Amino acid sequence: MSAQQHAAPDPTRLHIVTGKGGTGKTTVAAALALALAAEGRRTLLVEVEGRGGIAQLFETEPLPYEERRIAIVPGGGEVHALAIDPELALLDYLEMFYKLGRAGRALKKLGAIDFATTIAPGLRDVLLTGKACEAVRRKDKAGWRVYDAVVMDAPPTGRITRFLNVNDEVAGLARFGPIYNQAQAVMRVLKSPETAVHLVTLLEEMPVQETVDGVAELRAAGLPVGAVVVNMLRPVVLDDEAVRAVAEDRRADVAKALSQAGLGGARRGGHAERLVDPLLEQAREHAERVVLERRGRAEIGGLGLPVHELGLLGDGVDLGGLYRLAESLRAQGVRG
């Protein structure tokens, strides 16, 4: 049985993934698409910034402006991907509402489409979000949802609210007609229970603060906030007693422990004692990081949102690592 035949008639959810630059939001979006495709489901992973990050992660050629299968998940699930080109999306829009056909292609050659999306950036966002929202609602001839979930790799947290609040953006362009109606249709999806905006962060001061601010802005705009994904977590290697030993600078205890581990005598000037200073310095840095991470966790916990954690992949993110991250999300309860 195909993935499409397994599709449930329940509303498809649109998962919008944002985060401060450098937090790995594209990686998380890709892992989420894989996680949601488990158990024979079909997901669409949408790229809107034109950076080619999805193709790199899945080790495939640059994505064209068409939906293409890029991964198969154990159990028969599929991940498709689409890189949305604003100009081509506008051509689709012109054809859909105005039946321009060749005239629309002529406009592209003349540069009119690039001009239109430059002077009216709100229109560009309507086109980008509208394409994803169309995929959310799309059905096949039998009335089944084509995709069980759509995952959007969205702009960074600092721009996400304005990007999604397209209704306000186009209000100055048109208050009636196809553009206005399209924006209204998009906002009905974006502000519905079908949609969730997930924020990716690191347990560092600036990303955590931007996440807190982003959640506040999204809530103020009436946009549905989903979960916070804490990415690239490093393991904690010191227990509380070890952290206290570092804080109290118990050099003799550390030298004795090194000696007992066979790293030289604990006497003054011995090999074990020479290791104490560099070891204590590393331990202090680690202890400081642990304290900052605990503070960040507390701030994130205060948001009242589900929190998922993904460990740091020491060898970088390859295709195998992407599947491991997806499995971690599944183990934390992420389901389609």
Side-chain angles (χ1 to χ4, degrees), residues 10 16 33 43 66 86-87 107 113 145 163 171 179 187 210 219 252 280 314 317 329 336:
D10 299 325
I16 299 170
T43 62
E66 62 181 35
E87 286 195 350
L107 287 173
I113 292 175
R145 299 280 182 154
F163 173 75
I179 294 177
M187 292 310 301
E210 191 160 314
R219 286 171 169 167
L280 280 176
V317 182
L329 288 173

Side-chain angles (χ1 to χ4, degrees), residues 28-334:
V28 172
L32 178 60
L34 285 170
L36 295 172
E39 300 174 3
R41 295 177 179 270
R42 175 181 288 179
T43 62
L44 176 66
L45 179 56
V46 176
E47 184 174 69
V48 299
E49 293 189 284
R51 295 182 177 178
I54 291 174
Q56 293 176 24
L57 283 170
F58 284 93
E59 301 173 6
T60 186
E61 296 178 355
L63 297 173
Y65 181 59
E66 62 181 35
E67 292 163 25
R68 172 181 293 180
R69 189 178 70 184
I70 59 171
I72 299 176
V73 179
E78 297 178 354
V79 175
H80 293 240
L82 171 67
I84 303 179
D85 182 303
E87 286 195 350
L88 295 177
L90 181 53
L91 283 177
D92 285 349
Y93 175 85
L94 293 173
E95 173 62 23
M96 182 183 304
F97 289 105
Y98 298 103
K99 309 298 181 187
L100 288 186
R102 291 182 180 178
R105 290 190 289 276
L107 287 173
K108 175 175 172 59
K109 290 181 179 179
L110 291 171
I113 292 175
D114 184 54
F115 177 73
T117 54
T118 300
I119 65 171
L123 175 60
R124 181 181 184 276
D125 291 346
V126 169
L127 296 169
L128 293 172
T129 54
K131 195 71 176 177
C133 290
E134 181 276 326
V136 169
R137 293 290 179 87
R138 192 190 312 160
K139 295 182 180 180
D140 62 16
K141 294 180 180 179
W144 293 96
R145 299 280 182 154
V146 173
Y147 294 108
D148 296 284
V150 176
V151 180
M152 180 194 292
D153 178 22
T157 315
R159 293 194 288 118
I160 189 63
T161 301
R162 183 173 181 180
F163 173 75
L164 295 177
N165 213 14
V166 294
N167 193 46
D168 289 345
E169 287 296 303
V170 301
L173 301 174
R175 296 189 180 277
F176 56 86
I179 294 177
Y180 178 77
N181 293 337
Q182 173 76 351
Q184 290 285 311
V186 168
M187 292 310 301
R188 280 195 293 272
V189 175
L190 294 180
K191 291 194 174 184
S192 76
E194 291 181 284
T195 299
V197 184
H198 309 296
L199 296 96
V200 182
T201 187
L202 307 179
L203 288 184
E204 297 174 4
E205 185 176 359
M206 289 185 64
V208 168
Q209 186 58 55
E210 191 160 314
T211 299
V212 172
D213 294 342
V215 169
E217 290 178 4
L218 289 165
R219 286 171 169 167
L223 293 161
V225 184
V228 176
V229 180
V230 178
N231 195 25
M232 293 189 254
L233 270 180
R234 290 171 288 181
V236 176
V237 297
L238 295 180
D239 58 22
D240 289 344
E241 173 58 28
V243 170
R244 281 194 296 272
V246 171
E248 296 169 6
D249 198 23
R250 293 184 346 220
R251 299 173 55 83
D253 291 345
V254 174
K256 182 178 180 181
L258 290 172
S259 178
Q260 291 173 344
L263 295 176
R267 66 187 182 280
R268 182 176 297 277
H271 184 63
E273 190 186 59
R274 291 197 301 273
L275 292 174
V276 170
D277 284 337
L279 185 62
L280 280 176
E281 181 59 30
Q282 289 189 26
R284 287 190 195 96
E285 292 176 0
H286 180 80
E288 288 171 2
R289 176 171 65 82
V290 169
V291 171
L292 289 173
E293 288 180 352
R294 287 175 179 173
R295 190 178 303 158
R297 271 198 177 90
E299 288 190 64
I300 292 169
L303 295 172
L305 297 170
V307 178
H308 306 300
E309 297 188 348
L310 295 174
L312 175 67
L313 299 178
D315 297 329
V317 182
D318 56 12
L319 193 54
L322 204 57
Y323 275 88
R324 291 197 298 275
L325 293 176
E327 185 56 38
S328 178
L329 288 173
R330 293 277 298 172
Q332 295 176 64
V334 174

